[in-house]
């Protein structure tokens, strides 16, 4: 039995009332992951699908999936039924079953900056203006969403295409006050992802970054989250190949099998794959994927190579291939090969749904700032003080379960 789904806990914490209608404001609402998540919730509501792939499905102490209400931004104005047909993640019959509901969801105009994301564009963008004006528009969208839908809480989720890295040494990012001044001055160090994170925090809404882009993980916004009493989590969802690494690498370490080299390649043909054709965006992604292995093994793997290639015919049907070279007793060399043929968005979407439920629970408990206990879901988990995060999946799972059950984290697992 999956230990995440095989346990239940009672509500505890701040004592706030349960959330009946939970808003999910998605950056990148028309993308493959978001459309899969929204359609999945609608299929669950109809009783037309099971709960496979949802690791917290049995946690009845969390907000039910059926309580989720979706809205958000995208550079494409297509309604979600049309977007789902385009991405071809779900079967046509599944889309048709929930098409009337999906057709009612149309993305709001998005912030777009080709200087940070060149691979993906569209016409459904906000009028040009400075970052202050753009954040004001985002905040207006969030307030309207909450009011029109009668929502108890809203969680903002970044599922947009990967951006290149900004100048993290910029003085604009060191404090909330510097960030505010940079918004008024139009600093180039502030990315679209940061604008959405800032808007969420200013509106008192929990924020989760499922992408490798820099969002709330700069000192200015981490401190703002603490001051505003808002929980944040991220970053870069751990779904396929990296998830396998964080399961397998601890086992190899426990058997003292030295990893001499690990070659990983990915073939991906969806919108995320197209965005990664840009070298700047690709660097953001591969940095997160490469950082995991050395941390888990406890030593540097000199020949750890990660490739991600956009291959249009593959669409969302990703192939992640690994070749592992090992050295064992008496210097005997061995190899292990893994070929993971997966539906990329079908792996990611359920994790996004679980994170939304968890951030709502963190909000209910009065948590604030970085939520390290959600590292189970990320390739590059945020930490409060910048220390190296835990990457081994089984340890991350233990921390998450302890938090859900109200237990104090064990030493070394906080």
């Amino acid at each position: 039995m999956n230990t995440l789904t095989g346990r239940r806990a009672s509500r505890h914490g701040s004592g706030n009332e349960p959330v009946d209608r939970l808003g999910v404001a998605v950056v990148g609402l028309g993308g493959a992951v978001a459309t899969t998540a929204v359609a999945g919730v609608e299929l669950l509501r109809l009783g037309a699908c099971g709960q496979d792939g949802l690791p917290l499905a049995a946690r009845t102490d969390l907000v039910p999936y059926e309580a989720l209400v979706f809205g958000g931004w995208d550079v494409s104005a297509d309604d979600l039924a049309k977007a789902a047909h385009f991405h071809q993640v779900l079967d046509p019959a599944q889309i048709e079953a929930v098409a009337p509901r999906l057709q009612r969801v149309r993305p709001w105009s998005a912030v777009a900056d080709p200087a940070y994301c060149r691979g993906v564009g569209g016409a459904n963008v906000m009028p040009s203006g400075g970052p202050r004006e753009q954040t004001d528009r985002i905040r207006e969208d969030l307030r309207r969403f909450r009011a029109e839908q009668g929502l108890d809480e809203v969680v903002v989720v970044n599922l947009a295409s990967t951006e290149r890295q900004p100048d993290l040494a910029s003085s604009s990012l060191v404090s909330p006050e510097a960030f505010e001044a940079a918004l008024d001055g139009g600093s180039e160090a502030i990315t679209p992802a940061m604008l959405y994170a800032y808007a969420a925090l200013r509106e008192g809404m929990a924020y989760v970054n499922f992408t490798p882009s820099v969002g709330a993980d700069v000192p200015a916004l981490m401190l703002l989250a603490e001051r505003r009493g808002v929980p944040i989590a991220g970053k870069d969802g751990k779904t396929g190949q990296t998830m396998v690494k964080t399961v397998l690498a601890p086992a190899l370490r426990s058997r003292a099998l030295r990893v001499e080299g690990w070659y990983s390649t990915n073939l991906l043909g969806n919108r995320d794959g197209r965005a990664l054709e840009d070298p700047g965006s690709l660097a953001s992604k591969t940095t997160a994927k490469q950082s995991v292995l050395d941390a888990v093994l406890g030593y540097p793997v000199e020949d750890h190579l990660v490739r991600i290639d956009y291959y249009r015919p593959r669409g969302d049907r990703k192939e992640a291939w690994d070749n592992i070279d090992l050295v064992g007793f008496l210097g005997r060399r061995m190899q292990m090969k893994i070929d993971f043929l997966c539906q990329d968005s079908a792996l990611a979407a359920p994790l996004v749904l679980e994170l939304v439920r968890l951030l709502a629970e963190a909000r209910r408990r009065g948590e604030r700032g970085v939520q390290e206990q959600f590292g189970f879901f990320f390739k590059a988990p945020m930490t409060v003080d910048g220390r190296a995060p835990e990457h081994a999946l089984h340890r991350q799972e233990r921390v998450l379960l302890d938090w859900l059950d109200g237990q104090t984290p064990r030493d070394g697992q906080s």
Side-chain angles (χ1 to χ4, degrees), residues 306-381:
V306 178
R307 289 186 58 86
I308 304 174
D309 292 312
Y310 175 67
Y311 182 55
R312 185 188 58 79
R314 195 57 61 92
D316 198 73
R317 297 176 297 280
K318 177 179 176 178
E319 180 167 6
W321 183 82
D322 291 87
N323 176 82
I324 310 161
D325 285 280
L326 305 168
V327 179
F329 190 50
L330 304 178
R332 297 301 89 188
R333 282 180 162 75
M334 295 163 270
Q335 284 190 341
M336 184 179 297
K337 299 182 188 296
I338 304 169
D339 192 7
F340 191 5
L341 301 168
C342 58
Q343 198 84 47
D344 197 45
S345 297
L347 289 173
L351 302 190
V352 171
L353 297 178
E354 300 298 27
L355 280 164
V356 168
R357 300 168 75 214
L358 288 167
L359 264 294
E361 178 63 10
R363 182 75 167 147
R364 190 191 69 80
R365 296 187 187 190
E367 304 279 9
R368 62 177 60 212
V370 176
Q371 303 299 295
E372 294 185 5
Q373 70 275 15
F374 301 154
F376 175 77
F377 296 94
F378 300 109
K379 295 185 186 73

Side-chain angles (χ1 to χ4, degrees), residues 22-31 33-35 37-38 41 68-74 108 110 138 142 145 153-161 163 192-201 205-216 230-237 271 348-360 374 377-378:
L22 175 60
V24 188
V26 180
V27 188
L29 182 64
V33 175
T35 54
V38 177
V41 168
L68 305 186
V69 180
F70 292 89
W73 309 263
D74 201 273
W108 316 321
I138 295 169
L142 290 170
F145 180 47
E153 291 282 354
V154 176
V155 177
V156 178
V157 183
N158 184 11
L159 295 179
S161 298
E163 300 173 352
M194 292 182 202
L195 296 182
Y196 286 105
Y198 168 84
L201 299 180
M205 297 175 179
Y207 172 85
V208 56
N209 183 11
F210 204 72
T211 82
S213 304
V214 177
V230 180
I232 58 176
K235 66 181 184 176
D236 198 5
R271 192 166 74 168
L351 302 190
V352 171
L353 297 178
E354 300 298 27
L355 280 164
V356 168
R357 300 168 75 214
L358 288 167
L359 264 294
F374 301 154
F377 296 94
F378 300 109

Side-chain angles (χ1 to χ4, degrees), residues 72-111:
W73 309 263
D74 201 273
V75 294
S76 171
D78 290 342
D79 68 67
L80 294 202
K82 186 174 182 180
H85 278 296
F86 173 80
H87 294 302
Q88 298 182 350
V89 179
L90 291 89
D91 295 333
Q94 292 177 312
I95 300 173
E96 291 305 317
V98 294
R101 295 175 182 269
L102 297 183
Q103 288 167 351
R104 292 198 292 267
V105 184
R106 289 183 174 272
W108 316 321
S109 298
V111 174

